[in-house]
Amino acid sequence: MQIGMIGLGRMGGNMAERLRRGGHEVVGYDANPEVSDVASLKALVEALAAPRVVWVMVPAGEPTRLTLEELGQLMSAGDIVIDGGNSHYVDDRVHAEQLGGKGVGFVDVGVSGGVWGLQNGYALMAGGETEHIQRLMPIFETLKPEGPDGFVHAGDVGAGHFAKMVHNGIEYGMMQAFAEGYELLRASDAVKDVPGIFSSWRTGTVIRSWLLDLMVNALNEDNDLSGIRGVAQDSGEGRWTVQAAVDHAVPLPVITAALFARFASRQDDSPAMKVVAALRNQFGGHAITSAAGEVGKGADSPGADVAPPPEAR
């Protein structure tokens, strides 16, 4: 099958290569001319035989919007555009309506697999009309892992990215649990082999997983993770997951806490914790640490002698 691939970075480039190895003809375009097969989006569309299929793998937000807008001007009725980036699911319906006005189909696909996808295959979550999904199945079958799993037609337009968003939210929670367990093990005087403990969990335990395997790999490379600063960014999908939970009145305490933990990791001196420390000092006389790093005596705090209101006694 012939397909155009826009965005040939770590994910898009490997996906294009996996498709080529599977016997498909891929015409690739990227802002980097060194990896592009054509010089422009117009040239990419012209290189494909109608009805065309174009897969977009560019950053979510404005880059995706501008790419789809230009494709809408270049493509024809009967063509299909796939958005395989990490777009917000609410944008998918807008894009589908815009392209649909020209008779161009739109399918959103959440893609998971990272840098290992070329070798192991990609988990694919697709949203869109059944007619479009069925036409694209040769592409999906090549990209997904071998076996019955790894692909799902999740539902209507937007369902693919919604499923990927929830997947990433679950990932946040799982990683946070591993991280907290690691910190607690490190804090114990009795524990002498933290990497060995994680490695021992890879077989026979209920928490064995690919994430656990990756954790062991990281500890093998850096035994105490001393070469890594304790700051974790977020891609945005964690925020969208929490917002969707609010919109649907679904409680997500674990995922929400994991997202907020990432925010906290970026603060060398957390403003929120300053408030907590000050209040604990005021009502309980607990010691505080000054900005200079000096530990003050809690009993000397001005508010320690202030009596609590009757309802708090």
Side-chain angles (χ1 to χ4, degrees), residues 224-245:
D224 59 358
L225 302 181
S226 59
I228 301 174
R229 185 167 173 246
V231 176
Q233 302 297 332
D234 67 288
S235 63
E237 291 190 293
R239 304 183 190 205
W240 297 341
T241 305
V242 172
Q243 183 59 57

Side-chain angles (χ1 to χ4, degrees), residues 133-244:
I133 300 296
Q134 290 178 342
R135 180 174 153 195
L136 298 170
M137 282 310 299
I139 296 295
F140 297 146
E141 289 287 351
T142 301
L143 287 174
K144 79 176 194 66
E146 295 183 6
D149 300 320
F151 171 82
V152 62
H153 180 190
D156 300 332
V157 167
H161 282 146
F162 193 95
K164 178 58 165 40
M165 177 191 73
V166 174
H167 165 280
N168 282 21
I170 293 171
E171 178 185 291
Y172 273 51
M174 292 174 67
M175 286 193 290
Q176 185 66 23
F178 280 127
E180 291 174 6
Y182 171 83
E183 185 170 357
L184 182 56
L185 288 168
R186 282 287 182 194
S188 169
D189 293 334
V191 173
K192 305 302 181 185
D193 186 4
V194 174
I197 291 171
F198 276 93
S199 185
S200 74
W201 291 344
R202 297 174 70 184
T203 305
T205 73
V206 296
I207 64 169
R208 62 188 184 272
S209 63
W210 188 38
L211 277 177
L212 178 58
D213 292 340
L214 294 176
M215 177 74 178
V216 172
N217 287 349
L219 291 174
N220 286 339
E221 294 173 1
D222 187 353
N223 190 269
D224 59 358
L225 302 181
S226 59
I228 301 174
R229 185 167 173 246
V231 176
Q233 302 297 332
D234 67 288
S235 63
E237 291 190 293
R239 304 183 190 205
W240 297 341
T241 305
V242 172
Q243 183 59 57

Side-chain angles (χ1 to χ4, degrees), residues 30 76 80 207 232 248 276 303 306-307:
D30 191 90
S76 306
I80 297 178
I207 64 169
H248 293 80
V276 172
V306 177

